[in-house]
Amino acid sequence: MNDAFVQRLARALGGENVVAEPRMLEALATGAVRPGALCRPASTEEVAEVVRLAGEHGVPVLPCGGWTAMAYGEAAPEGALAVSLQRLDRIVEYEPADLVVTAQAGMNFEAFQAALFEHGQTLPLDAPAHATLGGLVATDRSGPRRLLHGTLRDMVLGLTVVNGDGVVRKCGGRVVKNVTGYALEKLYIGSLGTLGIVTEVTFKLRPVPETASVQEISAPSFETGFNLMRELAGRLPLAAAVACFPAKPFSGQIGIEASPPDHARILRELEEAAARCGGSVRETGATRVDADEYPAVSRRLDSVQTAGGETVVPPLAARIVWPSKSGAFGATMHALDALAAEAGFGYLMGYHDFPGYASLELFANGGEKTPDLTRIVKTLRGDGLPATVAWKASAQPLDERAFGPARAEWALMRAIKQSLDPRAILNPGRFVEGL
Amino acid sequence: MSVTDVPRREPAAGLLDALRAAVGPQNVVTSHDELFVYECDGLTLDKSTPGAVVYVHSTLEVAAVVKACAAAGFPFVARGAGTGLSGGAIALGGMVVIELARMNRVIEIDYENRVACVEPGVINLNLTKACSARGLHYAPDPSSQGSCTVGGNVAENSGGPHTLKYGVTVNHVLGLEVVLPTGDIVTLGGPLGGLGPLPGYDLVGLFVGSEGTFGIATKAWVKLTPTPEAVRTLLAVFPSIEAASHGVSTIVSHGIVPAALELIDKTIIRAVEEWLHLGFPLDAGAVLLIELDGLRDGLDLLAGRVMECCRTCGCLDVRAAKDDKERLLLWKARKQAFGAVGRISPSYYVQDGVIPRSKLPEVLGKIEASGRKHGLTTANVFHAGDGNLHPLILFDERVPEQIAHALACNDEVLSAVVEAGGMLSGEHGIGIEKLAFMPRVFGEADMEAMRKVRAVFDPQALSNPGKAVPMRACMEVKGHRPPAVRPPMRKA
């Protein structure tokens, strides 16, 4: 890293907030990320100053929060300036009576939720405890409860960002309904920091439900169980519905969040419907929840999202996701099952939300058979499925782009990137080609 | 910005020939008598006759028309039912109007995945009618839902009473087919968009609510929502609007999210009663119309809690509609409110600001005080649960001093909204109506980003120019359009 640049950074932020010494950086490096320097701005204005300096020196910028999703997307550029948001860790404005909160982007999810729980409120999102709010927005993280609560797109009301030109801009607002000007806040959700560094987020909140639980549904066959889940999700207000494979013969996870009478009703319907098709229902998570127990239910559901529940698995090689209509899923599942048997790798598949998306987690089986990730991704894309490699172990080879196949609307996205990050210094190479 | 500020252009003969070639001569209207019908939308205060109106029947026709306009460098505006309330469909400077009402097919309903694919001219309520037999509905429900189109809803990101629980239009759109202002056709998101991750930026979320300035949506994939098995509608009567707004804040702060939570004040109650005789209490200061829905098991508990919230705020009486007939009457009163005001005041001005819900009592007090100061009656009928105000300022345009007072009062109302941390519009859009007020809530750098993104879609600024976001920096904040000539008789 250029000395003059590091010195200017140190003058702007204080020397203690700039790390450029190789041995210290080595300690920070992970399989996915090897920054050339790291800095820790403490305010939106300091973030803007850092981005302006990086722009002048042509240094690529790697925004980072809790380092929980650094392996998401393509490999990060080597020698970039990692900009840690972790000193922006405060709640800026919180009026519980409005169920609206504004917080800084570096605040950690667990601490944020704890502050909301004190008022009986929550951001109904399943996410790792150490993720930061800005990181969640950048990666559009969501979990199984999106079925009931939607995704961040439905929860983010407004943002403060620093664009690639180093200018601080606001978008959206702090009210729950708003059509004033263009909804630029939507652009940043899931943009992987390629348009701007989010420094503050305003969220719409929900009350903590009075009753919440996770139920496991077993059924005598894949078809019976899958159709049962589809039927239940179509007529009952479930909080989450995820079918996990290969669990013999079928295992589905259902989340319920409701008032006590509604919870009892939903549970009764689940039991009756399962019994009708020769299956059963077993509770695997708390029923009565308060502020202390609620995170446990959330974590329980989050584990369903990432690794198929309690199933113990060998090290993960990759995670692939794609939106899928429910009727199309069975055929894909059977095809992958055949492929796995032939190639001898381990896998877990999930179908989420009914209708929603499919996820595929690949495992190196006993360390001998590494799944041929390239072949699997090509097979899925060859069938017209818009598969994204959401995560992969850094040693796992892949001769396909993580995001793809290309869509016509990407040309518009590239032009938007050009207008908000004209020097292309924000997270170059990590997202969709050219963004 | 006044309509008269936009220099008027007439389409050249060559452009009219190209339009006729694109859609057939019978689908291009140029006679002044027929164009007159298209001089305004639901905002009847500003008028501008289009240079031509073109009836289109397919995506390819829309693309051909847009290409013809782009080649001639001539601006155009898409139009659905013309029910918009902020002037979004007004043909400023004599633009070509592309009339989408004939593209009104429900192309496909996928019941299993609860997704419908529709053309933009489909009337909002007709989509619900098309799927209701299978226990589904299209959730966004503007009061004009019997006439407004899905395409117009997409352009404005329309709301409605039940968006409190179910979300506004953007929360229900999975994908769009769009004719860009260059004439190119592109799909944003798609039938799978919204079901799960599609890599890239959320262009669907960006497009919805862009007021026709990013191009023309020619097809939309929208979510259908299961119809709740039970509904409970409550009418809570309060002695004053302050007490009623405390009731709203109390319900929200208890974490209760009703399906709808509407406030109707005494001026509106009287206007509605005189017209429709629905049996509303004339001595009430305000009423809350509260709808709860979901599984029938939990509704009694929920209704009991809502009633308790109302009683702690000094509610005089709260009761549930005893049957569907009574429930529909209550909603009729709400949805006919603007029409009723048209009967008691020669003109009125309606705003659409949104504020944090805890600020309702404070801001409603300021609105009333401002009206009193200017010797004008103010009335309120609005989506209280969202904090989405619809204050009406009643005046008589035949009395010049009243016009000045109404404009001053309007300005004070918007100031109160902005001071409370609110925004200019919750569902009607900026259009031309609120354009001059944009610098009060966004800085120049914020609007510069909006203009840059707009230029990505529309480099020639031909798609509905002069709407949504001020085109140039440093716009005169106080600059204002002429006042009402007659009251807009549209519903909101």
Side-chain angles (χ1 to χ4, degrees), chain B residues 3 17 57 70 119 126 128 167 179-180 190 204 232-233 243 268 291 303 373 377 392-393 439 445-446:
Chain B
V3 169
D17 286 345
H57 303 78
E119 289 186 326
N126 287 356
T128 286
V179 173
L180 295 172
V204 174
R232 195 71 50 85
T233 306
I268 303 285
E291 190 148 283
K373 182 173 114 190
T377 302
L392 292 91
I393 302 163
D446 308 332

Side-chain angles (χ1 to χ4, degrees), chain A residues 326-374:
Chain A
S326 54
F329 178 75
T332 315
M333 214 281 287
H334 289 305
L336 278 162
D337 196 44
L339 191 66
E342 175 205 319
F345 61 82
Y347 79 94
L348 280 173
M349 269 187 94
Y351 187 74
H352 308 246
D353 306 351
F354 293 86
Y357 75 95
S359 64
L360 170 64
E361 273 131 3
L362 297 168
F363 302 92
N365 222 357
E368 286 174 20
K369 282 275 189 181
T370 309
D372 185 346
L373 182 57
T374 304

Side-chain angles (χ1 to χ4, degrees), chain B residues 83-106:
Chain B
T83 55
L85 290 164
S86 57
I90 289 177
L92 283 183
M95 286 187 255
V96 168
V97 168
I98 301 175
E99 139 87 88
L100 294 158
R102 284 157 182 77
M103 289 177 70
N104 62 354
R105 286 182 309 141
V106 174

Side-chain angles (χ1 to χ4, degrees), chain A residues 133-179:
Chain A
L133 302 179
L136 296 175
V137 171
T139 55
D140 191 15
R141 170 73 190 218
S142 67
R145 286 182 303 155
R146 83 177 73 69
L147 179 60
L148 183 66
H149 300 291
T151 59
L152 279 164
R153 184 181 193 262
D154 309 298
M155 303 171 197
V156 171
L157 301 176
L159 296 173
T160 303
V161 298
V162 175
N163 290 124
D165 56 5
V167 176
V168 179
R169 294 190 175 92
K170 288 187 188 251
C171 44
R174 290 181 180 182
V175 288
V176 297
K177 192 176 176 191
N178 180 14
V179 295

